[in-house]
Amino acid sequence: MEAKSPNESRTTLTDLVLPSETNPLNNLFGGELLARMDRAASIAARRHSRRIVVTASVNHVAFNKAIPLGSVVTVEAAVSRAFKSSMEIFIDVWVEDRESGRRTKANEAIYTFVAVDETGTPIQIPPLEPETDLEKERYEAALRRKQLSLVLAGKMKPKDATELKALFEE
C-alpha cells in the first residue's frame, strides 16, 4: 500500500454559531463542538483510508476558549498517524474575529477512527508519511499516546511501551 500525506486527508469545515446551538451564556454547546469535530475527523479518516470508518475513541479534547454566538468557527482535521487499521486524527478549532477577520485557536482534540469493511471488520489502511515539522511532531507523539492508552487499558505491558520508556531514560 502506498503511503499518503496528512494533506491528502485534510478537512476543513466552517460554520456559524446559531442561537439554537448555544448554552445560557450564549456560547457554543460543548456537545455541538464535539459533533462538528467528529464529522470533520470522520471525513479526514475516510479520505485517508477510502473505507468506511467508525469513531473508536475521543482521546483528548481541550475546550480552551468559549465560542460565542454568531462566531465563525473553522474545524480543521487531518490524519496524524496511521496504524494497521486505526488512525489518529488531530483537530484544530479556530474562531474568526468578527471585525478583524483574524483567526484564533480556540480548541483542539484528538480522535481515533478505525477503517472497517462492509461487515464491520477492521481492515488495513495505507501508512502515513508526514511532511511538515508539525506533522512530524504529531506523528511521533501519536505512537506515545497509543502506547499510553494500551498500557492504561491493560493491553500492553509497561515494559513493552518503548516510546514511553524513552521519555524517561537518559
PDB file of all heavy atoms in Angstrom, residues 4-31:
ATOM      1  N   LYS A   4       0.421   7.857   2.239  1.00  0.00           N
ATOM      2  CA  LYS A   4      -0.257   9.114   1.926  1.00  0.00           C
ATOM      3  C   LYS A   4       0.254  10.195   2.869  1.00  0.00           C
ATOM      4  O   LYS A   4       0.757   9.903   3.954  1.00  0.00           O
ATOM      5  CB  LYS A   4      -1.768   8.958   2.105  1.00  0.00           C
ATOM      6  CG  LYS A   4      -2.412   8.022   1.098  1.00  0.00           C
ATOM      7  CD  LYS A   4      -3.907   8.025   1.274  1.00  0.00           C
ATOM      8  CE  LYS A   4      -4.597   7.237   0.180  1.00  0.00           C
ATOM      9  NZ  LYS A   4      -6.057   7.324   0.297  1.00  0.00           N
ATOM     10  N   SER A   5       0.090  11.435   2.471  1.00  0.00           N
ATOM     11  CA  SER A   5       0.479  12.557   3.324  1.00  0.00           C
ATOM     12  C   SER A   5      -0.724  13.019   4.140  1.00  0.00           C
ATOM     13  O   SER A   5      -1.875  12.806   3.725  1.00  0.00           O
ATOM     14  CB  SER A   5       1.003  13.715   2.480  1.00  0.00           C
ATOM     15  OG  SER A   5      -0.073  14.373   1.849  1.00  0.00           O
ATOM     16  N   PRO A   6      -0.486  13.667   5.276  1.00  0.00           N
ATOM     17  CA  PRO A   6      -1.608  14.213   6.049  1.00  0.00           C
ATOM     18  C   PRO A   6      -2.445  15.196   5.232  1.00  0.00           C
ATOM     19  O   PRO A   6      -3.655  15.291   5.429  1.00  0.00           O
ATOM     20  CB  PRO A   6      -0.921  14.918   7.225  1.00  0.00           C
ATOM     21  CG  PRO A   6       0.359  14.169   7.395  1.00  0.00           C
ATOM     22  CD  PRO A   6       0.785  13.809   5.982  1.00  0.00           C
ATOM     23  N   ASN A   7      -1.811  15.886   4.309  1.00  0.00           N
ATOM     24  CA  ASN A   7      -2.526  16.863   3.495  1.00  0.00           C
ATOM     25  C   ASN A   7      -3.632  16.223   2.650  1.00  0.00           C
ATOM     26  O   ASN A   7      -4.642  16.852   2.363  1.00  0.00           O
ATOM     27  CB  ASN A   7      -1.547  17.635   2.610  1.00  0.00           C
ATOM     28  CG  ASN A   7      -2.073  18.997   2.257  1.00  0.00           C
ATOM     29  OD1 ASN A   7      -2.639  19.689   3.094  1.00  0.00           O
ATOM     30  ND2 ASN A   7      -1.899  19.380   1.016  1.00  0.00           N
ATOM     31  N   GLU A   8      -3.437  14.957   2.275  1.00  0.00           N
ATOM     32  CA  GLU A   8      -4.452  14.271   1.472  1.00  0.00           C
ATOM     33  C   GLU A   8      -5.735  14.019   2.264  1.00  0.00           C
ATOM     34  O   GLU A   8      -6.789  13.799   1.670  1.00  0.00           O
ATOM     35  CB  GLU A   8      -3.893  12.957   0.939  1.00  0.00           C
ATOM     36  CG  GLU A   8      -2.790  13.151  -0.092  1.00  0.00           C
ATOM     37  CD  GLU A   8      -2.210  11.846  -0.569  1.00  0.00           C
ATOM     38  OE1 GLU A   8      -2.853  11.168  -1.402  1.00  0.00           O
ATOM     39  OE2 GLU A   8      -1.101  11.490  -0.097  1.00  0.00           O
ATOM     40  N   SER A   9      -5.632  14.032   3.584  1.00  0.00           N
ATOM     41  CA  SER A   9      -6.822  13.810   4.413  1.00  0.00           C
ATOM     42  C   SER A   9      -7.386  15.112   4.971  1.00  0.00           C
ATOM     43  O   SER A   9      -8.483  15.112   5.547  1.00  0.00           O
ATOM     44  CB  SER A   9      -6.480  12.882   5.584  1.00  0.00           C
ATOM     45  OG  SER A   9      -5.610  13.520   6.508  1.00  0.00           O
ATOM     46  N   ARG A  10      -6.653  16.190   4.835  1.00  0.00           N
ATOM     47  CA  ARG A  10      -7.038  17.457   5.471  1.00  0.00           C
ATOM     48  C   ARG A  10      -8.476  17.835   5.126  1.00  0.00           C
ATOM     49  O   ARG A  10      -8.873  17.834   3.957  1.00  0.00           O
ATOM     50  CB  ARG A  10      -6.077  18.570   5.061  1.00  0.00           C
ATOM     51  CG  ARG A  10      -6.228  19.821   5.920  1.00  0.00           C
ATOM     52  CD  ARG A  10      -5.035  20.736   5.866  1.00  0.00           C
ATOM     53  NE  ARG A  10      -3.732  20.089   5.874  1.00  0.00           N
ATOM     54  CZ  ARG A  10      -3.127  19.596   6.953  1.00  0.00           C
ATOM     55  NH1 ARG A  10      -3.723  19.656   8.116  1.00  0.00           N
ATOM     56  NH2 ARG A  10      -1.940  19.033   6.854  1.00  0.00           N
ATOM     57  N   THR A  11      -9.216  18.162   6.164  1.00  0.00           N
ATOM     58  CA  THR A  11     -10.626  18.512   6.024  1.00  0.00           C
ATOM     59  C   THR A  11     -10.890  19.796   6.790  1.00  0.00           C
ATOM     60  O   THR A  11     -10.465  19.931   7.941  1.00  0.00           O
ATOM     61  CB  THR A  11     -11.514  17.382   6.586  1.00  0.00           C
ATOM     62  OG1 THR A  11     -11.243  16.189   5.851  1.00  0.00           O
ATOM     63  CG2 THR A  11     -12.986  17.723   6.485  1.00  0.00           C
ATOM     64  N   THR A  12     -11.586  20.726   6.163  1.00  0.00           N
ATOM     65  CA  THR A  12     -11.922  21.994   6.799  1.00  0.00           C
ATOM     66  C   THR A  12     -13.432  22.199   6.723  1.00  0.00           C
ATOM     67  O   THR A  12     -14.001  22.177   5.632  1.00  0.00           O
ATOM     68  CB  THR A  12     -11.198  23.163   6.082  1.00  0.00           C
ATOM     69  OG1 THR A  12      -9.790  22.911   6.109  1.00  0.00           O
ATOM     70  CG2 THR A  12     -11.485  24.480   6.775  1.00  0.00           C
ATOM     71  N   LEU A  13     -14.044  22.376   7.891  1.00  0.00           N
ATOM     72  CA  LEU A  13     -15.474  22.677   7.975  1.00  0.00           C
ATOM     73  C   LEU A  13     -15.636  24.045   8.618  1.00  0.00           C
ATOM     74  O   LEU A  13     -15.111  24.272   9.718  1.00  0.00           O
ATOM     75  CB  LEU A  13     -16.215  21.639   8.816  1.00  0.00           C
ATOM     76  CG  LEU A  13     -16.175  20.185   8.377  1.00  0.00           C
ATOM     77  CD1 LEU A  13     -16.956  19.314   9.354  1.00  0.00           C
ATOM     78  CD2 LEU A  13     -16.760  20.035   6.986  1.00  0.00           C
ATOM     79  N   THR A  14     -16.339  24.945   7.978  1.00  0.00           N
ATOM     80  CA  THR A  14     -16.571  26.282   8.527  1.00  0.00           C
ATOM     81  C   THR A  14     -18.066  26.507   8.646  1.00  0.00           C
ATOM     82  O   THR A  14     -18.832  26.188   7.733  1.00  0.00           O
ATOM     83  CB  THR A  14     -15.936  27.356   7.609  1.00  0.00           C
ATOM     84  OG1 THR A  14     -14.538  27.089   7.502  1.00  0.00           O
ATOM     85  CG2 THR A  14     -16.137  28.752   8.172  1.00  0.00           C
ATOM     86  N   ASP A  15     -18.469  27.045   9.797  1.00  0.00           N
ATOM     87  CA  ASP A  15     -19.896  27.252  10.052  1.00  0.00           C
ATOM     88  C   ASP A  15     -20.064  28.396  11.041  1.00  0.00           C
ATOM     89  O   ASP A  15     -19.111  28.825  11.699  1.00  0.00           O
ATOM     90  CB  ASP A  15     -20.509  25.965  10.617  1.00  0.00           C
ATOM     91  CG  ASP A  15     -21.995  25.850  10.366  1.00  0.00           C
ATOM     92  OD1 ASP A  15     -22.603  26.796   9.825  1.00  0.00           O
ATOM     93  OD2 ASP A  15     -22.569  24.814  10.729  1.00  0.00           O
ATOM     94  N   LEU A  16     -21.291  28.837  11.167  1.00  0.00           N
ATOM     95  CA  LEU A  16     -21.680  29.922  12.056  1.00  0.00           C
ATOM     96  C   LEU A  16     -22.299  29.328  13.317  1.00  0.00           C
ATOM     97  O   LEU A  16     -22.967  28.289  13.257  1.00  0.00           O
ATOM     98  CB  LEU A  16     -22.717  30.773  11.310  1.00  0.00           C
ATOM     99  CG  LEU A  16     -23.123  32.108  11.851  1.00  0.00           C
ATOM    100  CD1 LEU A  16     -21.935  33.061  11.875  1.00  0.00           C
ATOM    101  CD2 LEU A  16     -24.213  32.684  10.954  1.00  0.00           C
ATOM    102  N   VAL A  17     -22.102  29.987  14.463  1.00  0.00           N
ATOM    103  CA  VAL A  17     -22.746  29.550  15.709  1.00  0.00           C
ATOM    104  C   VAL A  17     -24.117  30.217  15.782  1.00  0.00           C
ATOM    105  O   VAL A  17     -24.221  31.453  15.839  1.00  0.00           O
ATOM    106  CB  VAL A  17     -21.904  29.913  16.943  1.00  0.00           C
ATOM    107  CG1 VAL A  17     -22.642  29.528  18.219  1.00  0.00           C
ATOM    108  CG2 VAL A  17     -20.544  29.240  16.882  1.00  0.00           C
ATOM    109  N   LEU A  18     -25.174  29.398  15.780  1.00  0.00           N
ATOM    110  CA  LEU A  18     -26.554  29.877  15.789  1.00  0.00           C
ATOM    111  C   LEU A  18     -27.143  29.823  17.197  1.00  0.00           C
ATOM    112  O   LEU A  18     -26.658  29.079  18.052  1.00  0.00           O
ATOM    113  CB  LEU A  18     -27.385  29.030  14.831  1.00  0.00           C
ATOM    114  CG  LEU A  18     -26.902  29.033  13.376  1.00  0.00           C
ATOM    115  CD1 LEU A  18     -27.691  28.033  12.544  1.00  0.00           C
ATOM    116  CD2 LEU A  18     -26.996  30.430  12.794  1.00  0.00           C
ATOM    117  N   PRO A  19     -28.225  30.582  17.460  1.00  0.00           N
ATOM    118  CA  PRO A  19     -28.814  30.610  18.809  1.00  0.00           C
ATOM    119  C   PRO A  19     -29.206  29.229  19.354  1.00  0.00           C
ATOM    120  O   PRO A  19     -29.037  28.966  20.543  1.00  0.00           O
ATOM    121  CB  PRO A  19     -30.054  31.500  18.633  1.00  0.00           C
ATOM    122  CG  PRO A  19     -29.711  32.386  17.487  1.00  0.00           C
ATOM    123  CD  PRO A  19     -28.884  31.535  16.556  1.00  0.00           C
ATOM    124  N   SER A  20     -29.697  28.338  18.501  1.00  0.00           N
ATOM    125  CA  SER A  20     -30.129  27.017  18.983  1.00  0.00           C
ATOM    126  C   SER A  20     -28.958  26.123  19.389  1.00  0.00           C
ATOM    127  O   SER A  20     -29.167  25.056  19.953  1.00  0.00           O
ATOM    128  CB  SER A  20     -30.951  26.310  17.902  1.00  0.00           C
ATOM    129  OG  SER A  20     -30.148  26.056  16.768  1.00  0.00           O
ATOM    130  N   GLU A  21     -27.720  26.562  19.118  1.00  0.00           N
ATOM    131  CA  GLU A  21     -26.528  25.767  19.421  1.00  0.00           C
ATOM    132  C   GLU A  21     -25.759  26.302  20.631  1.00  0.00           C
ATOM    133  O   GLU A  21     -24.640  25.887  20.892  1.00  0.00           O
ATOM    134  CB  GLU A  21     -25.596  25.763  18.202  1.00  0.00           C
ATOM    135  CG  GLU A  21     -26.242  25.208  16.964  1.00  0.00           C
ATOM    136  CD  GLU A  21     -25.488  25.526  15.688  1.00  0.00           C
ATOM    137  OE1 GLU A  21     -24.799  26.576  15.612  1.00  0.00           O
ATOM    138  OE2 GLU A  21     -25.594  24.719  14.750  1.00  0.00           O
ATOM    139  N   THR A  22     -26.388  27.239  21.360  1.00  0.00           N
ATOM    140  CA  THR A  22     -25.672  27.866  22.467  1.00  0.00           C
ATOM    141  C   THR A  22     -26.281  27.529  23.822  1.00  0.00           C
ATOM    142  O   THR A  22     -27.446  27.162  23.938  1.00  0.00           O
ATOM    143  CB  THR A  22     -25.636  29.402  22.311  1.00  0.00           C
ATOM    144  OG1 THR A  22     -26.974  29.893  22.316  1.00  0.00           O
ATOM    145  CG2 THR A  22     -24.934  29.809  21.025  1.00  0.00           C
ATOM    146  N   ASN A  23     -25.454  27.704  24.847  1.00  0.00           N
ATOM    147  CA  ASN A  23     -25.876  27.496  26.234  1.00  0.00           C
ATOM    148  C   ASN A  23     -26.426  28.812  26.800  1.00  0.00           C
ATOM    149  O   ASN A  23     -26.481  29.819  26.081  1.00  0.00           O
ATOM    150  CB  ASN A  23     -24.700  26.947  27.054  1.00  0.00           C
ATOM    151  CG  ASN A  23     -23.519  27.892  27.103  1.00  0.00           C
ATOM    152  OD1 ASN A  23     -23.643  29.105  26.965  1.00  0.00           O
ATOM    153  ND2 ASN A  23     -22.335  27.336  27.294  1.00  0.00           N
ATOM    154  N   PRO A  24     -26.835  28.846  28.080  1.00  0.00           N
ATOM    155  CA  PRO A  24     -27.384  30.088  28.650  1.00  0.00           C
ATOM    156  C   PRO A  24     -26.406  31.272  28.669  1.00  0.00           C
ATOM    157  O   PRO A  24     -26.815  32.408  28.824  1.00  0.00           O
ATOM    158  CB  PRO A  24     -27.754  29.676  30.074  1.00  0.00           C
ATOM    159  CG  PRO A  24     -28.044  28.207  29.976  1.00  0.00           C
ATOM    160  CD  PRO A  24     -27.033  27.700  28.978  1.00  0.00           C
ATOM    161  N   LEU A  25     -25.100  31.008  28.486  1.00  0.00           N
ATOM    162  CA  LEU A  25     -24.120  32.092  28.418  1.00  0.00           C
ATOM    163  C   LEU A  25     -23.893  32.565  26.978  1.00  0.00           C
ATOM    164  O   LEU A  25     -23.000  33.367  26.713  1.00  0.00           O
ATOM    165  CB  LEU A  25     -22.790  31.634  29.026  1.00  0.00           C
ATOM    166  CG  LEU A  25     -22.833  31.285  30.519  1.00  0.00           C
ATOM    167  CD1 LEU A  25     -21.502  30.699  30.964  1.00  0.00           C
ATOM    168  CD2 LEU A  25     -23.199  32.516  31.340  1.00  0.00           C
ATOM    169  N   ASN A  26     -24.710  32.034  26.068  1.00  0.00           N
ATOM    170  CA  ASN A  26     -24.616  32.359  24.637  1.00  0.00           C
ATOM    171  C   ASN A  26     -23.292  31.936  24.014  1.00  0.00           C
ATOM    172  O   ASN A  26     -22.776  32.594  23.100  1.00  0.00           O
ATOM    173  CB  ASN A  26     -24.888  33.846  24.374  1.00  0.00           C
ATOM    174  CG  ASN A  26     -26.356  34.165  24.451  1.00  0.00           C
ATOM    175  OD1 ASN A  26     -27.195  33.349  24.061  1.00  0.00           O
ATOM    176  ND2 ASN A  26     -26.684  35.328  24.970  1.00  0.00           N
ATOM    177  N   ASN A  27     -22.750  30.821  24.499  1.00  0.00           N
ATOM    178  CA  ASN A  27     -21.557  30.205  23.912  1.00  0.00           C
ATOM    179  C   ASN A  27     -21.948  28.859  23.319  1.00  0.00           C
ATOM    180  O   ASN A  27     -22.887  28.211  23.797  1.00  0.00           O
ATOM    181  CB  ASN A  27     -20.466  30.013  24.968  1.00  0.00           C
ATOM    182  CG  ASN A  27     -19.915  31.332  25.454  1.00  0.00           C
ATOM    183  OD1 ASN A  27     -19.683  32.248  24.665  1.00  0.00           O
ATOM    184  ND2 ASN A  27     -19.715  31.455  26.754  1.00  0.00           N
ATOM    185  N   LEU A  28     -21.199  28.430  22.325  1.00  0.00           N
ATOM    186  CA  LEU A  28     -21.460  27.152  21.665  1.00  0.00           C
ATOM    187  C   LEU A  28     -21.446  26.014  22.681  1.00  0.00           C
ATOM    188  O   LEU A  28     -20.540  25.916  23.514  1.00  0.00           O
ATOM    189  CB  LEU A  28     -20.382  26.908  20.598  1.00  0.00           C
ATOM    190  CG  LEU A  28     -20.512  25.646  19.753  1.00  0.00           C
ATOM    191  CD1 LEU A  28     -21.754  25.690  18.869  1.00  0.00           C
ATOM    192  CD2 LEU A  28     -19.258  25.476  18.890  1.00  0.00           C
ATOM    193  N   PHE A  29     -22.470  25.161  22.634  1.00  0.00           N
ATOM    194  CA  PHE A  29     -22.507  23.958  23.469  1.00  0.00           C
ATOM    195  C   PHE A  29     -21.273  23.113  23.184  1.00  0.00           C
ATOM    196  O   PHE A  29     -20.901  22.924  22.015  1.00  0.00           O
ATOM    197  CB  PHE A  29     -23.728  23.085  23.134  1.00  0.00           C
ATOM    198  CG  PHE A  29     -25.011  23.493  23.786  1.00  0.00           C
ATOM    199  CD1 PHE A  29     -26.103  23.838  23.005  1.00  0.00           C
ATOM    200  CD2 PHE A  29     -25.151  23.491  25.167  1.00  0.00           C
ATOM    201  CE1 PHE A  29     -27.301  24.200  23.581  1.00  0.00           C
ATOM    202  CE2 PHE A  29     -26.355  23.845  25.753  1.00  0.00           C
ATOM    203  CZ  PHE A  29     -27.434  24.208  24.971  1.00  0.00           C
ATOM    204  N   GLY A  30     -20.662  22.553  24.221  1.00  0.00           N
ATOM    205  CA  GLY A  30     -19.525  21.659  24.042  1.00  0.00           C
ATOM    206  C   GLY A  30     -19.887  20.458  23.191  1.00  0.00           C
ATOM    207  O   GLY A  30     -19.107  20.019  22.337  1.00  0.00           O
ATOM    208  N   GLY A  31     -21.092  19.911  23.400  1.00  0.00           N
ATOM    209  CA  GLY A  31     -21.530  18.747  22.633  1.00  0.00           C
ATOM    210  C   GLY A  31     -21.684  19.049  21.154  1.00  0.00           C
ATOM    211  O   GLY A  31     -21.415  18.201  20.297  1.00  0.00           O
TER     212      GLY A  31
END
